[in-house]
Amino acid sequence: MSIAPEILDSPDDVGRAAATQIADAIETASAEGRRFVLGCPSGRSPLTTYQQLALLVIERDLDLSGVVIVLMDEYVDKTAGGFRAVDESLPHSCVGFGRRDIVERLNAVARPGRRIPDGNLWSPDPQAADGEYDRAIEDAGGIDVFLLASGASDGHVALNPVGSGADTVTRVVALGDDTRRDNLGTFPTLKSLDEAPRYGVTVGIRTIRELSRAVIMVVTGEHKQSTVQRLAAAEAYEPSWPATIVTQCASPRFLVDRSAAGLLQTAL
């Protein structure tokens, strides 16, 4: 099933729309006395969502005490004994991003007693057996809203590389050169392709599809025009562009800014 993009004026507008849906769902979960599980990517695309969500925490006095942040992925180093997550102090660490730009950002504006508790930031363990993270998510009741983003050059979602099967679960993967080049733009501290991580641990395509009750794909910026065009044309999952899994998720939403929608303007 193809998904028509909602075209908004700016990245902030995209972030506000996504954050409003998330805030509404947090309020519903809180009223029902249950936890709210939010699946989160790192990087540039979702940043305005986290910024706008912080504003909504203030405006609505949101209770975040039942919120669990589930990270999609983390970069890892290969060692003699297997793989280990990169140091979270590194600018490209997804766990470091999750701590600084999601949890600390939201907790800084939430009232005492209404903040995300310690331990409610989850990340996949590169030393765990395949699918163990999926089982933990399932035991938590699944992900209420999964925020998604797409790679510009190869359509990776989380760190799933081109060719990822539709039934893949959380696992360690080798990163393609296109993904690694995208990382040079996302993380200016990486000065060359040789410095870009070569491996990552990532939720799988099935993880996203089967364990989410709703997904929001956010795409912003002129450099993502071909990404928007590709996603808008997709009718089913295409392993050659993993972000197309959004077409097969429950309650999908596709938010883009006007700059990213440039190649669609004539058709629309």
Side-chain angles (χ1 to χ4, degrees):
M1 174 184 73
S2 61
I3 303 172
E6 298 176 43
I7 302 175
L8 303 170
D9 284 338
S10 70
D12 281 342
D13 292 329
V14 168
R16 186 72 175 191
T20 298
Q21 180 175 335
I22 293 166
D24 290 347
I26 290 174
E27 289 183 326
T28 297
S30 180
E32 295 174 352
R34 60 178 176 83
R35 69 175 135 189
F36 174 83
V37 183
L38 177 63
C40 292
S42 59
R44 292 173 291 179
S45 295
L47 195 54
T48 60
T49 300
Y50 305 137
Q51 293 166 343
Q52 292 296 324
L53 185 57
L55 294 177
L56 288 171
V57 170
I58 299 170
E59 293 170 20
R60 299 191 187 185
D61 189 25
L62 286 180
D63 183 357
L64 306 179
S65 61
V67 171
V68 177
I69 301 297
V70 172
L71 297 180
M72 301 182 79
D73 45 31
E74 178 59 296
Y75 296 103
V76 301
D77 292 324
K78 191 172 186 178
T79 68
F83 295 92
R84 67 181 178 198
V86 299
D87 191 310
E88 69 175 66
S89 67
L90 293 172
H92 60 275
S93 166
C94 300
V95 173
F97 179 96
R99 198 173 305 284
R100 294 184 305 270
D101 288 280
I102 305 175
V103 174
E104 291 179 3
R105 181 188 299 276
L106 298 180
N107 280 350
V109 294
R111 287 196 293 120
R114 299 171 76 84
R115 295 170 180 157
I116 300 172
D118 291 342
N120 280 22
L121 176 67
W122 296 4
S123 61
D125 181 356
Q127 298 183 1
D130 282 359
E132 187 170 314
Y133 197 49
D134 301 56
R135 290 187 287 275
I137 294 171
E138 190 169 9
D139 289 345
I143 293 173
D144 290 278
V145 178
F146 215 141
L147 193 63
L148 305 178
S150 172
S153 58
D154 60 0
H156 65 270
V157 62
L159 292 175
N160 287 283
V162 170
S164 292
D167 288 327
T168 50
V169 296
T170 303
R171 68 215 186 278
V172 173
V173 297
L175 304 180
D177 284 349
D178 285 337
T179 298
R180 295 173 67 225
R181 287 190 188 94
D182 282 350
N183 286 340
L184 298 182
T186 303
F187 307 109
T189 52
L190 300 173
K191 301 301 184 184
S192 69
L193 195 60
D194 287 340
E195 295 182 10
R198 296 179 180 275
Y199 299 95
V201 57
T202 179
V203 297
I205 298 299
R206 187 175 74 182
T207 314
I208 298 169
R209 183 186 68 243
E210 298 295 331
L211 297 182
S212 304
R213 279 185 281 280
V215 299
I216 309 172
M217 174 68 72
V218 294
V219 184
T220 60
E222 186 176 359
H223 67 297
K224 293 285 185 77
Q225 288 186 355
S226 60
T227 298
V228 170
Q229 187 178 47
R230 182 74 180 261
L231 291 174
E235 296 184 352
Y237 177 61
E238 302 171 8
S240 60
W241 199 269
T244 54
I245 191 56
V246 68
T247 63
Q248 296 185 301
C249 291
S251 300
R253 194 176 182 192
F254 184 16
L255 301 175
V256 306
D257 73 341
R258 204 161 296 282
S259 177
L263 295 178
L264 298 182
Q265 297 303 305
T266 301
L268 293 174

